Amino acid sequence: MWNRSQLGMLHNLDEVHNVSKILYRISTLPYLAGYEVIGVFMKNWDLTDEKGQCTLAEDAEDAYNVCKKLSIPFKEVSFVKEYWNDVFLNFIKEYQTGWTPNPDVLCNKRIKFKAFFEHCQDKIGFDAVATGHYAKTSFGEELETFDASKGVRLLKSFDQLKDQTFFLSQIPQDALQFTMFPVGGMTKNIVKEIANSAGLSKISQKKESTGICFVGKRHFQDFIADYILPNPGPFVHIETKEVLAQHQGIHNWTIGQRCLIGGEKVRHFVAEKDPTTNSIFVAPGTDHPSLYRSTFFTDRPHWIHSWPRDLMETQMTTVKFRFQHTKPLIDAVLTLTGNNQLIVSLVQPTRALTPGQYAVFYKGEECLGSARIIKLGPSEYHMNYKSFITI
């Protein structure tokens, strides 16, 4: 069915590992005989602007050496302009408004599975793209059950601890149909064993990439200061409304984060941000009820395969939810509003829900899609306000 496969090696260890994994499959599975594989490294960040310790150049060299070791062609493509315009400027703008965006989800949606995917198909003429994300699809590991008329579903990876469907929750359907996830059915240890067996022990011993590449090893506040000017405002106690200290801008802080306020015996954490007054309301203690909420509102959701039927028929559906990829899934009820946005009601209060983040929805093993959190419901503190008033 497939004649040529464009193999996209991106920015992390696992996506370099998948080169050896694909070649291993080629040599062992008869129906993949004749596959043409090319390794492609995608550059999204301009190193001339990088003051931190971004490892992009080192990663590109590793990708080149992997392809050389495996005797496959290597290409490098640049989407620096697209990344700047479609991801990074959005990232800066939303921090300025007090939101906390997730550039990784947006990068997958607009760059890796849009610009890069279209480049592979239109410019080079390949049938499918393989990537090292830990995920699976209903079309199978090598698209062996491909059926465009049925559409494809995004599924959790075998290794639940490494699952990356959260970051793929905005992936376009047309790109997902032609995407392979070679490591999705494997554990990390097996991936390393395959890399070692292919003579890639240097790569298998490399530390995983974490955080945002363009931030490098710098403290986030030092990084963001290069793009957003200081805009001082008060740290305000959520209960007493006392001004405890001054901050240098709401863009430096996210909900749930500990604030370093001098002279205070109790640790304080960001509970709310008010961009109209440039105020940050802080709560005493990491489990203060002002940090917990049970409802929030989203923009229009992106459904990877199709709208949930019961949501269309009754305007309500039950799902599993998370807004951070490392957190456990939580039961939630979705209610469809008149403008096709969502009200999300959680069965238990959740700490540090944050506008700008993606609410990702699951049913069983399927990642249904996601929607951006645009507004929060009342906190547990405000719901029980009188309980916290001392008379």
Side-chain angles (χ1 to χ4, degrees), residues 123-353:
K123 302 295 184 181
I124 309 179
F126 283 78
D127 296 315
V129 171
T131 178
H133 293 89
Y134 280 88
K136 296 190 296 184
T137 78
S138 57
F139 282 176
E141 191 174 284
E142 272 87 18
L143 308 183
E144 60 269 20
T145 59
F146 179 91
D147 187 343
S149 65
K150 294 182 178 179
V152 64
R153 299 179 186 273
L154 180 65
L155 308 176
K156 296 177 188 174
S157 67
F158 175 78
D159 190 335
Q160 296 289 298
L161 293 177
K162 296 292 296 180
D163 180 67
Q164 293 176 301
T165 53
F166 179 94
F167 300 106
L168 299 170
S169 60
Q170 289 272 315
I171 189 172
Q173 170 70 197
D174 56 352
L176 185 61
Q177 288 191 16
F178 297 94
T179 299
M180 300 179 183
F181 298 102
V183 302
M186 311 172 72
T187 64
K188 182 62 175 284
N189 289 337
I190 296 298
V191 173
K192 285 188 173 184
E193 288 178 8
I194 291 175
N196 288 333
S197 67
L200 302 174
S201 57
K202 177 185 176 181
I203 301 298
S204 67
Q205 294 170 8
K206 188 176 179 180
K207 291 184 178 180
E208 295 181 54
S209 58
T210 57
I212 304 171
C213 175
F214 53 72
V215 176
K217 295 182 179 179
R218 284 177 292 173
H219 191 282
F220 178 78
Q221 292 185 0
D222 294 333
F223 167 80
I224 204 69
D226 290 339
Y227 301 94
I228 302 178
L229 294 174
N231 188 15
F235 281 119
V236 182
H237 195 288
I238 191 74
E239 295 180 19
T240 67
K241 303 303 185 284
E242 176 188 0
V243 175
L244 301 180
Q246 295 291 310
H247 61 79
Q248 293 303 306
I250 59 176
H251 58 275
N252 287 311
W253 303 93
T254 189
I255 293 178
Q257 182 180 358
R258 182 186 174 186
C259 305
L260 301 178
I261 299 177
E264 294 293 322
K265 295 181 180 180
V266 179
R267 295 185 300 172
H268 287 77
F269 297 81
V270 177
E272 298 176 10
K273 297 193 291 184
D274 184 354
T276 62
T277 62
N278 210 34
S279 300
I280 296 178
F281 293 89
V282 297
T286 186
D287 288 322
H288 190 276
S290 63
L291 295 167
Y292 290 82
R293 301 171 191 267
S294 298
T295 59
F296 61 88
F297 303 82
T298 78
D299 62 5
R300 295 187 179 188
H302 169 74
W303 302 114
I304 297 171
H305 180 269
S306 56
W307 279 74
R309 179 177 298 179
D310 48 354
L311 185 63
M312 291 293 291
E313 293 177 350
T314 68
Q315 284 69 61
M316 297 182 71
T317 188
T318 58
V319 297
K320 296 284 188 179
F321 148 86
R322 64 163 54 110
F323 76 104
Q324 294 175 323
H325 83 282
T326 58
K327 299 299 183 181
L329 290 168
I330 300 172
D331 289 323
V333 176
L334 307 184
T335 303
L336 188 64
T337 68
N339 57 359
N340 288 333
Q341 296 180 336
L342 297 174
I343 302 172
V344 181
S345 305
L346 307 178
V347 298
Q348 64 188 64
T350 298
R351 187 182 185 277
L353 291 168

Side-chain angles (χ1 to χ4, degrees), residues 24-87:
Y24 173 80
R25 288 298 192 189
I26 292 172
S27 64
T28 57
L29 297 179
Y31 65 83
L32 286 180
Y35 239 144
E36 177 183 351
V37 180
I38 293 179
V40 181
F41 185 84
M42 181 173 64
K43 177 183 176 182
N44 290 338
W45 190 248
D46 189 348
L47 292 180
T48 60
D49 292 334
E50 179 55 54
K51 299 178 182 178
Q53 301 295 321
C54 185
T55 61
L56 183 62
E58 180 184 342
D59 292 341
E61 183 178 0
D62 286 341
Y64 169 78
N65 288 333
V66 166
C67 290
K68 183 177 180 180
K69 175 72 175 180
L70 300 174
S71 299
I72 62 174
F74 172 78
K75 294 180 180 292
E76 185 171 342
V77 294
S78 174
F79 293 103
V80 171
K81 180 179 178 180
E82 292 85 349
Y83 189 90
W84 180 271
N85 291 329
D86 296 337
V87 178

